[in-house]
Amino acid sequence: MNHNPTPFWVVIPAAGIGSRMAADRPKQYLQLGQRTILEHTLNCFLGRAGVRGIAVSLASDDPWWPGLACASDPRISRAAGGAERADSVLAGLERLAALGAADDDWVLVHDAARPNLADEDLQRLLDELGDDPVGGLLAVPAKDTLKRVGADGRVEQTVDRRPIWLAYTPQMFRLGMLRAALLGAAQAGAEVTDEASAVEWLGHRPRVVEGRADNIKITRPDDLEWLALRWDSR
Ligand code: C5P
């Protein structure tokens, strides 16, 4: 048991539609075992000693959230989802600030559609970045041979995979730095696809912490089928 846990806040951007799942509802509300994906994702953080509070960014017309038991959990607050993931994360940060989060506090941003975050990965992220001046993210080294492919569908080049890592979540940054990075990148029109790329845009170099490859983001129907098989046999 960790007697001196790193305190942290959490933002779960959950305002996406997940159109590649081609389901009748956003992917975070699909069932995995006994609960929805979003409930499993939230459960990765609830119950951890260091959690100060969690903001979940939801679409304004989201009809599914109020039906979840965790919607009334006092540790979880709702924030307004935006047009882009970065807008949803910014709204979550503002919600946490309104709850008392300070600029120096750590915030972990984690995809709603990554329900299989292992507790030991979360602990390693907190342990390795707790004293870091920038912060960083869970990531997985590329394991397959990488090809750069032309518009004609033919290989142009085999890319050296050794320095290539896949960016996973949680991504862990201090609230003030992350807010400045996301706002600055938005004002400059820079494309940021995760929190780390916004912080990189500010000129910093986030650290990568190796995580488990099975912390997958459910994106396509076969991702959910794969995880459901593992879930039942856990
Ligand atoms: O679409 P994708 O899987 O890359 O989205 C990653 C995460 O960002 C998901 O949890 C999704 O709900 C969230 N998101 C959001 N607001 C958007 C777009 C995506 O909260 N406008």
Side-chain angles (χ1 to χ4, degrees):
M1 179 157 169
N2 190 340
H3 291 284
N4 189 18
T6 305
F8 67 97
W9 302 80
V10 180
V11 172
I12 307 285
I17 304 164
S19 54
R20 281 171 289 185
M21 288 299 288
D24 65 347
R25 62 194 64 195
K27 58 188 176 182
Q28 57 271 22
Y29 292 112
L30 296 174
Q31 204 76 13
L32 176 61
Q34 301 299 309
R35 298 189 181 282
T36 59
I37 290 170
L38 179 54
E39 289 173 289
H40 291 303
T41 300
L42 286 164
N43 280 338
C44 298
F45 298 96
L46 292 166
R48 290 221 36 129
V51 180
R52 292 276 178 81
I54 302 176
V56 184
S57 305
L58 300 165
S60 58
D61 57 352
D62 181 327
W64 293 280
W65 172 255
L68 302 188
C70 56
S72 56
D73 189 311
R75 296 165 294 179
I76 302 175
S77 304
R78 182 172 180 158
E84 304 290 335
R85 176 203 165 94
D87 304 317
S88 301
V89 172
L90 261 175
L93 294 179
E94 297 308 343
R95 187 80 198 95
L96 295 181
L99 290 171
D103 278 1
D104 277 350
D105 286 355
W106 287 115
V107 177
L108 272 60
V109 181
H110 186 62
D111 293 325
R114 282 190 204 270
N116 201 34
L117 169 65
D119 202 49
E120 67 261 28
D121 268 9
L122 179 51
Q123 189 61 52
R124 191 169 338 101
L125 186 76
L126 291 163
D127 288 347
E128 293 201 16
L129 299 181
D131 293 326
D132 197 272
V134 177
L137 64 151
L138 281 181
V140 175
K143 65 176 184 201
D144 296 308
T145 300
L146 301 178
K147 304 290 187 192
R148 189 184 305 281
V149 178
D152 60 356
R154 292 187 176 276
V155 173
E156 287 178 344
Q157 190 191 5
T158 297
V159 179
D160 181 6
R161 74 166 168 235
R162 284 170 297 182
I164 305 291
W165 290 64
L166 310 179
Y168 276 33
T169 71
Q171 304 206 352
M172 172 169 165
F173 296 101
R174 295 194 187 273
L175 187 148
M177 182 190 285
L178 183 54
R179 185 206 277 125
L182 290 168
L183 282 173
Q187 278 159 12
E191 193 193 355
V192 297
T193 49
D194 66 351
E195 292 62 55
S197 45
V199 171
E200 292 156 42
W201 179 87
L202 262 191
H204 299 292
R205 296 185 60 209
R207 243 178 82 194
V208 296
V209 175
E210 183 166 355
R212 292 175 58 103
D214 62 4
N215 176 20
I216 62 165
K217 182 169 72 171
I218 295 173
T219 306
R220 303 185 320 181
D222 56 340
D223 295 326
L224 184 54
E225 284 164 24
W226 181 84
L227 204 51
L229 284 173
R230 292 175 63 95
W231 216 265
D232 291 340
S233 60
R234 289 194 323 174

